[in-house]
Amino acid sequence: MRHKPRTDSGLRQKQAVTQLLQQGRQEEAWRKIRAHLTLVPYDGWFLHEAARLARRSGDLDLAQRYYQRALKLAPQDAGLLNGLGLTHYDAGRWSEAEACYQAALKSHEGYAACHNNYAILLHKQRHYHLALEQYRLALLSKADYTEARYGMSTLLAHMGQLQEAESQMQQVLHVRRSDLRCRNALGMVQLQQGNFSAGWSNYQARYAPDNPDRFFTLPKLPMRYWKGEDLCGKTLLVRTEQGMGDEIQFSRFLPRLKTEKQAESVIMLGSKPLKPLMFSMPHLDHYLTREEAQHALPQADYWCSLLDLPQHFLNSTQPFGAHHPYLFSPKEQQAKWPILGSGKKIGIVWKGSTGHKNDSQRSLAHLSQLAPLFDLPDNNWISLQKGAGEEDITDFPHVQPLGALFSSYRDTAAVIAQLDLVIGVDTSVIHLAGAMGKACWVMLPAWARDWRWLANRDDSPWYPQMRLFARGQDEEWSAVVARIKQALQQQ
């Protein structure tokens, strides 16, 4: 009977902490937990709650210490092992996280949440087939596990299994209609399959305020957002939103706002590196950088984000249409960039921005991977590479290193205008070549291919002169290079 009051006190403490957490009063819960652990330092329940609170607040070192103390009491506790795995994952310690998840699943087979967490880790590491197995095990254990179903749907999209990805996303949205993160992912899958009407509509979720994974937030501008209203006699302000390649690709719609939608004036708010180039575009009245617009925002009747423009042209005879080329390089600019040598002039670019989330898949590791092409006779090779990877050129003195000298896309365009062909990975440079009407061969990654390259096609409706060389999921880049070499030999 002597110990009963202490047991009752501990129970009351647990109930109080649980109630505080349910009410969102985390600071008060923390104080009670710490006070209790001062008196009873190895109370497993309180250690677990302390660990979870520390992890959720971002104090990962403290969370790890609490989990490890709790595991001394219960070394095979699956919940503790899973929590410690999440802590390691959040800290970027992936091998430690994997060991914890495996131990948790060994202790508790069919632990759905842990299967899901392990799948997320494997997906992040691009172990796609192993991740898919873990997602399926999570859903086998808990059929209504919507978060696991969403994770699996995005994985299937990255694996190119687009129809199954869409099916899983539709199931998620049937349960969670307001899941804008899923709606955005669905939009990209639909666009890649050529379902443009539904795709562009769902893709608007990319900036929805309630989307936790939104790409960006729409700015608050002092004019209405354009949703297809009559533009006759009106001024439309268009704002770029994502990368340079996006701006180059979708700027094709700017002239069409005047020629087809009868806008009186079109103003583009774009990127500083593209400004000198964009002046060459017909029917564009003004081009301001976003930085310039912060000081003096031009007057307009409506505004629109650049990648929302395509949906307003879907009913036209040429929904992707542009008068190719729609970007140009003046002769005087080209004269500043003479290309030496004779034979076919071929420009190459082998790396994209290292900040791109899929750069490890889309970029080549080194220029040497293109070296088999250099054996072909009567070809004059010109590097268009600027930034990451440009130093690779030192090993290939027969390749003219012009890219490293570029100061703007106007310089890049001046060289592209003189070429017969551009060969490259999926970067802004290949979009520029396409916009200039230049023949362009694009090397596409095997995994997480961008939605703008339609499934099961080796051409592009966006750029008539473009040819796609997609890497198979069981191929190395060397196989793609071999196919390009064969195509060059057949010309």
Side-chain angles (χ1 to χ4, degrees):
M1 297 298 294
R2 181 178 303 175
H3 300 289
K4 192 173 188 305
R6 182 179 295 176
T7 303
D8 290 343
S9 174
L11 180 60
R12 287 195 299 272
Q13 290 283 343
K14 288 182 183 179
Q15 291 171 339
V17 168
T18 300
Q19 186 176 28
L20 288 170
L21 291 173
Q22 290 172 344
Q23 295 171 349
R25 296 156 64 184
Q26 292 192 354
E27 287 300 322
E28 293 177 63
W30 254 123
R31 287 195 291 270
K32 283 191 174 294
I33 290 171
R34 285 170 171 159
H36 181 86
L37 289 174
T38 300
L39 298 174
V40 189
Y42 280 92
D43 186 312
W45 187 89
F46 279 87
L47 285 171
H48 198 168
E49 291 303 311
R52 287 198 289 198
L53 277 176
R55 184 179 66 81
R56 289 169 184 167
S57 67
D59 193 339
L60 302 181
D61 290 338
L62 180 61
Q64 181 179 347
R65 291 197 295 272
Y66 278 129
Y67 275 122
Q68 288 172 338
R69 278 169 60 184
L71 282 165
K72 289 181 179 179
L73 301 174
Q76 297 182 358
D77 186 292
L80 291 172
L81 289 164
N82 179 56
L84 181 57
L86 284 168
T87 303
H88 285 310
Y89 175 84
D90 290 345
R93 298 185 291 266
W94 290 354
S95 59
E96 292 89 339
E98 183 170 19
C100 288
Y101 293 148
Q102 289 176 344
L105 292 169
K106 184 178 180 180
S107 178
H108 180 186
E109 186 178 351
Y111 185 178
C114 190
H115 280 302
N116 182 62
N117 293 335
Y118 192 12
I120 291 170
L121 170 64
L122 291 167
H123 191 172
K124 189 82 170 180
Q125 294 175 310
R126 298 187 174 88
H127 299 318
Y128 293 136
H129 293 290
L130 294 175
L132 185 59
E133 180 184 355
Q134 290 299 318
Y135 278 128
R136 285 178 170 156
L137 287 170
L139 289 166
L140 185 64
S141 299
K142 187 179 178 183
D144 62 348
Y145 198 168
T146 307
E147 191 63 22
R149 190 172 301 281
Y150 169 72
M152 184 171 74
S153 74
T154 63
L155 172 61
L156 288 165
H158 288 166
M159 296 175 73
Q161 299 180 31
L162 301 179
Q163 290 184 343
E164 180 61 18
E166 180 172 2
S167 174
Q168 297 296 332
M169 289 173 184
Q170 296 285 14
Q171 289 185 59
V172 171
L173 289 168
H174 181 74
V175 177
R176 299 192 313 212
R177 295 189 61 83
S178 61
D179 190 331
L180 295 173
R181 176 187 54 167
C182 184
R183 191 164 297 283
N184 176 54
L186 174 61
M188 291 188 286
V189 167
Q190 290 169 328
L191 288 170
Q192 195 169 5
Q193 295 180 97
N195 184 357
F196 300 114
S197 181
W200 285 115
S201 177
N202 285 320
Y203 190 52
Q204 291 179 78
R206 70 192 181 281
Y207 53 70
D210 295 334
N211 179 358
D213 294 340
R214 61 185 176 274
F215 296 175
F216 63 100
T217 300
L218 286 181
K220 294 181 179 179
L221 300 181
M223 68 278 293
R224 287 184 292 167
Y225 197 82
W226 185 57
K227 297 182 179 179
E229 294 91 341
D230 184 5
L231 290 177
C232 185
K234 304 293 185 181
T235 295
L236 179 65
L237 180 72
V238 180
R239 188 179 187 274
T240 192
E241 61 176 65
Q242 297 183 49
M244 302 294 179
D246 292 296
E247 183 170 339
I248 292 169
Q249 179 179 358
F250 294 100
S251 64
R252 71 183 60 220
F253 292 102
L254 298 175
R256 298 180 68 181
L257 291 167
K258 297 189 76 171
T259 59
E260 297 178 38
K261 301 297 183 183
Q262 288 77 51
E264 182 174 300
S265 180
V266 176
I267 304 170
M268 179 68 190
L269 296 188
S271 305
K272 186 177 180 180
L274 288 173
K275 183 174 181 177
L277 174 67
M278 290 296 182
F279 277 129
S280 69
M281 180 172 291
H283 302 294
L284 180 61
D285 297 286
H286 300 287
Y287 187 98
L288 299 173
T289 68
R290 284 176 292 188
E291 295 76 14
E292 290 170 339
Q294 289 177 351
H295 301 292
L297 186 69
Q299 295 290 319
D301 298 288
Y302 299 99
W303 84 277
C304 189
S305 200
L306 180 63
L307 269 68
D308 275 349
L309 292 181
Q311 64 189 312
H312 299 294
F313 294 87
L314 290 176
N315 294 327
S316 68
T317 56
Q318 295 290 331
F320 304 98
H323 297 292
H324 282 83
Y326 59 90
L327 291 178
F328 305 89
S329 174
K331 291 292 185 182
E332 59 270 22
Q333 185 70 16
Q334 295 176 39
K336 299 177 182 178
W337 295 93
I339 297 177
L340 306 176
S342 59
K344 181 178 290 186
K345 299 178 176 63
I346 304 177
I348 50 174
V349 58
W350 56 95
K351 278 184 180 292
S353 169
T354 55
H356 190 280
K357 62 182 179 181
N358 199 42
D359 190 60
S360 64
Q361 296 292 310
R362 67 168 183 163
S363 290
L364 302 183
H366 194 273
L367 172 59
S368 58
Q369 290 175 275
L370 293 178
L373 304 181
F374 303 154
D375 297 334
L376 296 174
D378 302 322
N379 289 318
N380 191 10
W381 298 94
I382 298 95
S383 168
L384 305 175
Q385 189 68 40
K386 177 70 175 177
E390 66 180 39
E391 67 281 357
D392 296 354
I393 205 74
T394 57
D395 297 329
F396 299 90
H398 60 286
V399 179
Q400 294 182 54
L402 298 185
L405 305 175
F406 296 157
S407 60
S408 74
Y409 281 88
R410 195 180 185 199
D411 295 334
T412 312
V415 173
I416 288 176
Q418 303 174 66
L419 301 177
D420 298 295
L421 173 66
V422 173
I423 299 174
V425 296
D426 184 4
T427 69
S428 60
V429 173
I430 63 99
H431 285 285
L432 178 54
M436 295 179 68
K438 189 64 60 178
C440 185
W441 294 357
V442 188
M443 305 170 67
L444 296 181
W447 307 99
R449 197 170 298 158
D450 197 277
W451 56 264
R452 75 199 70 219
W453 312 119
L454 302 187
N456 303 315
R457 289 181 62 163
D458 60 5
D459 66 338
S460 169
W462 297 103
Y463 304 109
Q465 299 84 1
M466 190 169 281
R467 183 173 174 183
L468 308 180
F469 290 81
R471 178 181 174 185
Q473 294 180 359
D474 58 349
E475 284 186 323
E476 298 297 329
W477 279 119
S478 57
V480 180
V481 173
R483 292 202 298 275
I484 291 174
K485 184 173 184 177
Q486 184 180 25
L488 284 171
Q489 290 171 321
Q490 292 172 348
Q491 284 195 329

